[in-house]
Amino acid sequence: MAPQTASLLNGKALAQKIQLELKASIEQLQPKIGRPPGLAVIMVGDDPASAVYVRNKERACAKVGIASFGRHLPHQSSQQEVESIIKELNQDERVDGILVQLPLPAHLDTVSLLLAIAPDKDADGLHPMNLGRLVRGEKGLRSCTPAGVMNLLEEYQIEVAGKHAVVVGRSILVGKPLALMLLEKNATVTIAHSRTPDLGAMTRQGDIIIAAVGKPLLITGEMVKPGAVAVDVGINRIIRPDGASQLVGDFHFDSVAEVANYITPVPGGVGPMTVAMLLQNTVLSYGQQV
Ligand code: NAD
């Protein structure tokens, strides 16, 4: 096998750097505001993956000095119960950010719960008001995972303007807002998705390829233009032939790393950036108090 030539886009290191900066700005703001920033993560049910994500978020909060006001509700909670908790947190002056951990149990209406969050406390940037601000190119809280990708590109001084960015995936959580953020930075953007007939023909045109699909090893080296930037949002757990479990992305890392100039690892790429952006959004809302 040819050696890896791509440099790593180290999201873990950048997330740590951002967290240190946030800690410092909280220390500056706290005497003026008279309380620490607060984030409330609402989790409904006992999905094990969600539980891990929530724990990571609360741990990261503690590290930078954000108080956690998390609520863990039973799986069978009704729409009204979850909504009334959101409304209570909307009013709570100690809380700057509110996040509903997705996915929710199937009997709950996700969109209407996201709508119940006060847009100025929408730490995940998924409220229609904040998505609308993104569409219009106005300031507002940005969705965390796409914002994390943009920060990572910026940190490594990867030029976006005038480049062809191919986003694979069109979810409201990642693909669509990311395409808009790339457009805002003057990239030429193509969105590929499950109905795109020849994915390789699309991705081979990308100077920057961002995969947000959730299909292990979907994009291989031969689908990537030499010198491209490969950003992997996908998180997939696979069982290796030796029976061990492993986290992989949507790119076939080894073959893509042979042709790309830059690549994100999984884990340690986009994942930690998502958490860092959540904290950053919370501190941004907190700073509005001054
Ligand atoms: P989703 O299931 O909502 O969307 C997947 C998208 O992939 C869809 O738009 C679909 O059209 C597209 N797709 C499916 N099959 C395809 C194919 N064969 N070719 C091209 N496109 C195809 O998923 P999501 O919520 O956007 O998440 C995508 C992945 O990103 C998942 O693995 C998820 O775990 C991961 N994720 C990671 C983070 C992070 O912090 N790193 C955050 C959110 C999501």
Side-chain angles (χ1 to χ4, degrees):
M1 191 194 295
Q4 170 184 333
T5 59
S7 305
L8 286 184
L9 297 172
N10 189 339
K12 194 173 168 191
L14 177 56
Q16 278 165 2
K17 183 174 140 189
I18 292 170
Q19 290 182 16
L20 281 177
E21 288 165 3
L22 290 174
K23 189 165 187 269
S25 63
I26 291 169
E27 280 162 5
Q28 274 201 338
L29 288 166
Q30 195 159 331
K32 295 180 199 150
I33 299 176
R35 62 167 178 85
L39 175 68
V41 180
I42 301 171
M43 178 170 158
V44 187
D46 292 303
D47 176 53
S50 292
V52 173
Y53 291 140
V54 171
R55 212 176 313 130
N56 285 344
K57 288 169 187 173
E58 293 185 341
R59 245 186 237 148
C61 280
K63 254 169 77 187
V64 303
I66 296 177
S68 285
F69 294 89
R71 300 287 182 92
H72 187 180
L73 310 176
H75 178 92
Q76 65 277 14
S77 303
S78 69
Q79 185 81 14
Q80 287 80 355
E81 281 168 326
V82 186
E83 209 168 299
S84 75
I85 284 179
I86 293 175
K87 288 189 173 148
E88 196 184 298
L89 292 164
N90 282 343
Q91 301 300 325
D92 191 331
E93 287 179 357
R94 301 165 305 167
V95 174
D96 303 286
I98 303 169
L99 151 75
V100 176
Q101 184 65 41
L102 302 178
L104 287 167
H107 67 277
L108 294 173
D109 177 351
T110 302
V111 176
S112 93
L113 289 176
L114 292 177
L115 254 173
I117 298 173
D120 294 341
K121 293 192 177 187
D122 173 34
D124 240 352
L126 296 177
H127 188 286
M129 172 86 86
N130 285 318
L131 290 172
R133 286 173 175 151
L134 170 63
V135 174
R136 294 183 58 88
E138 292 169 2
K139 275 193 175 167
L141 294 168
R142 297 288 192 245
S143 348
C144 297
T145 302
V149 170
M150 297 306 292
N151 264 261
L152 199 51
L153 295 175
E154 198 182 327
E155 173 73 6
Y156 284 85
Q157 294 171 359
I158 291 165
E159 185 62 88
V160 174
K163 295 288 157 58
H164 187 176
V166 178
V167 177
V168 190
R170 58 174 161 184
S171 73
I172 195 69
L173 192 63
V174 191
K176 274 188 207 168
L178 183 55
L180 287 163
M181 289 180 201
L182 288 159
L183 197 59
E184 202 175 25
K185 295 285 179 197
N186 299 311
T188 301
V189 183
T190 300
I191 305 179
H193 48 78
S194 53
R195 304 287 289 271
T196 300
D198 184 350
L199 183 62
M202 282 298 149
T203 53
R204 269 189 291 276
Q205 294 176 35
D207 302 308
I208 301 169
I209 310 164
I210 300 164
V213 177
K215 294 230 157 96
L217 320 174
L218 175 72
I219 300 171
T220 56
E222 69 212 20
M223 296 163 75
V224 171
K225 176 159 97 174
V229 176
V231 178
D232 203 340
V233 180
I235 302 177
N236 311 288
R237 189 166 287 286
I238 58 162
I239 305 297
R240 291 200 317 234
D242 64 4
S245 127
Q246 188 187 354
L247 278 189
V248 297
D250 293 339
F251 285 102
H252 182 277
F253 185 92
D254 290 343
S255 63
V256 175
E258 281 174 25
V259 288
N261 260 3
Y262 286 99
I263 187 166
T264 55
V266 176
V270 176
M273 289 302 297
T274 298
V275 178
M277 293 299 104
L278 173 68
L279 305 182
Q280 192 173 71
N281 276 346
T282 306
V283 175
L284 211 67
S285 298
Y286 174 66
Q288 302 296 314
Q289 306 294 317
V290 188

